Amino acid sequence: MEHDEKSPVRLPMCGHEPMLDGMAQRDGDRGEPVLRAGNTNCGGCGMSIGLNMLSRAAAEHSIQMVIPACCAIVTAGSFPYSAYGAPVVAATFASAAAVATGLAHVARLNGERTRVICWAGDGGTYDIGMATLSAAAERNEDVLYICYDNEIYGNTGGQRSSSTPLGAVTSTTPLGKDVEKKDIVGIMAAHRVPYVASLSLAHPEDALRKLQYALDARGFRFLHILAPCPTGWKSEPADCIELVRLAVRSGVYVVCEIFDGERVVLNVDSELSESALERYFALQGRFRKAKLNLGAIRQTLLKRWAALRA
Amino acid sequence: MTQELISANHAAALAATLAARANRTGRGFGSGVYPITPQTECIELLCNQEIEKGHVVRVESEHSAMAVCMGFSVGGARSFTASSSNGLAFMAENVFAAAFYRLPIVMMAVNRTLGPPWNIWVDHGDTLMLRDSGWIQLYCENNQEVADTTLAAFRLAEDRRVLLPIMVCQDAFILSHTMVLTEMPAQALVDEFLPPLDLPHRLADRPRVIGGLDLPHETEMHRLQAIGAMNNVFEVYREVQASFLQIFGRALPDPIVPYRMDDADVVLVSMGTTASTVRAAVDEARARGVRAGGLRVNMFRPFPEDLLRAALAGKKKVGVIDRDLCPGLGGILWAEVRGVTEPGALVQGYIAGIGGGDVRPAHVTRILNELVALERADKPRIVEVG
């Protein structure tokens, strides 16, 4: 493992808080993990950690998952195997929220307590599935929609999505993306659905609480997970959690929950750290080319947070 | 049994409602619906029905309409939707998906010209675009058939030997907006005809992935199963016909419907309402001493190859009237019928009534006369009827 001079030498999981007491299965977990051992996901994949958190949160629930085209459906492996310890429908790219709508209605028609969960990437959420998602939210379908946001079209090899941040190099933005990412949490909150929240993988207790709340709640619920992708972000797999923590400390990632599109709760008050901001960008090779003006970015963040705290 | 003065759009909606209610003892009924002329009246009426254990979801696009139907169906509910033209084009990805998931969804499709330029009238090109989607396709000739075929489609689609989605196609406006006295059966009879759906591969609690990744060999095997299901359709359809006749006292049309074919020297093949115009022209030609015959293709998928081959055996002159156009080829029906005619037979393609042009008996008579005089097949011809 190579490190630049600024970063201290670290071993995986050393110097980090243990994640939900570590990644191992334990008593409180779902009998069958949502993401089974032996899956072929990359090391340091934020999406995989999110699935493990879901596994713990859903311990008491019967769940059905709808996964559109994204890394998470490649995760399943090929027929007849499945890396998922849950029933899954592999939906067409833009259809997750609509297929889930049908399943949720069938559960209701038959008096079943099954929770229907969409597990989708940013491409299927911010881009191609946006209309479907918006419509399901408007109808207030009884669906839990979870977007794991790796800010890139991951399983097609790393192209820009409308979630890719300013300055990030992708295979279709060779000089770095020249516009900012969408505010998906704001967009979903504008639908005034019962529950919208953002989850930090570096704050597992908060994340777990939100997943459990969202699983118990009725109506349309939207969760956003910032999910580092070492392959696309050109970062070290061991830095996955650290990157999320830096995103929170620097104010890049807002950890909040919004009830009925009205009541906003900031769950983690960011220190808006300048050094965390520098480090967040320095740890990711994808920002190297763009020569970002961190001062300007920080000013934008300060303004955004002033409004959030107001 | 009641007689109602209704359009074929309403006939389809009422048939779907009867089928929906018949699954109240099963896992219920669900539909994702989106309006498009000339299908809209169908889903409007559906949205106004009280369906015990059924939900109709008003979605934001045809693509999602089919996706919602897939969700209902994979959950084990009976499912129905309707669309047309550009809506079908927008839905196309999920049309294929529904068949590959092996979901017995029934869709009423009103055949309408694909735009641009925008044209709301009949043309079979929209559903024929989906001929390779893995759906069963039936092309109705009249309002009663739309009602009956819609009901029968659920029974056929949901049969364990089939488990494929079905498109019930009808001609825009000629059927969809024309009010005709139509017999609608009583719920009790429909309950007898349509047992509750028991989808063997429905998504329940068992961990599995439906519609996930396939390697090449698994893909071959899954496609082989779909072919097998398609091959079963003819036998199952015959059983459905027998049961339909027994319960409702009315016959469903055969996969192909011949008219005065036995001693015919010249045969005109067509689909949809054109077939009834062909019958009138055949009668007129017969009165003049021309031994003409008509052959209607009701079931386009699976393609009734054996039935057509038998019906066209010995026929030396065959005209195919397409209400669709594949630029660079000709008519789609013509292209497929060429493969089932007698070796050496003259098979001439005619394209008549695209864009909703009103095909009248005189037009078909002109085609027949030309065909009688024709010595060698020529490129497909567009017959101007507009």
Side-chain angles (χ1 to χ4, degrees), chain A residues 36 62 64 78-79 82 85-92 95 98-99 102-103 105-106 108-110 112 132 135 139 141, chain B residues 27 29 53-55 57-58 60 63-64 67-68 71-72 75 94 101 203-211 213-214 222:
Chain A
R36 288 165 165 166
S62 160
Q64 290 180 334
S78 70
F79 180 86
S82 174
V88 172
V89 176
T92 50
S95 303
V99 172
L103 279 169
H105 277 269
V106 177
R108 200 167 98 209
L109 285 170
N110 289 278
E112 293 159 352
T132 318
R139 295 190 306 266
E141 298 292 351
Chain B
R27 288 183 64 76
F29 169 84
K53 206 173 179 182
H55 290 158
V57 183
R58 288 75 162 165
E60 84 295 349
H63 193 270
S64 286
V68 166
F72 272 111
N94 282 338
Y101 287 125
L203 194 75
D205 290 330
R206 184 164 70 81
R208 66 192 304 200
V209 178
I210 294 184
L213 311 184
D214 256 10
H222 280 136

Side-chain angles (χ1 to χ4, degrees), chain B residues 357-378:
Chain B
D358 188 13
V359 182
R360 291 159 188 266
H363 298 124
V364 182
T365 299
R366 211 164 70 211
I367 291 171
L368 256 177
N369 291 344
E370 189 195 289
L371 190 60
V372 168
L374 204 64
E375 290 181 358
R376 232 186 358 258
D378 195 6

Side-chain angles (χ1 to χ4, degrees), chain A residues 230-259:
Chain A
T231 318
W233 292 19
K234 313 296 176 213
S235 57
E236 285 298 325
D239 285 336
C240 174
I241 304 294
E242 177 67 9
L243 279 167
V244 177
R245 183 179 299 107
L246 291 168
V248 175
R249 283 183 53 210
S250 62
V252 167
Y253 190 57
V254 181
V255 184
C256 66
E257 53 196 336
I258 303 167
F259 299 85

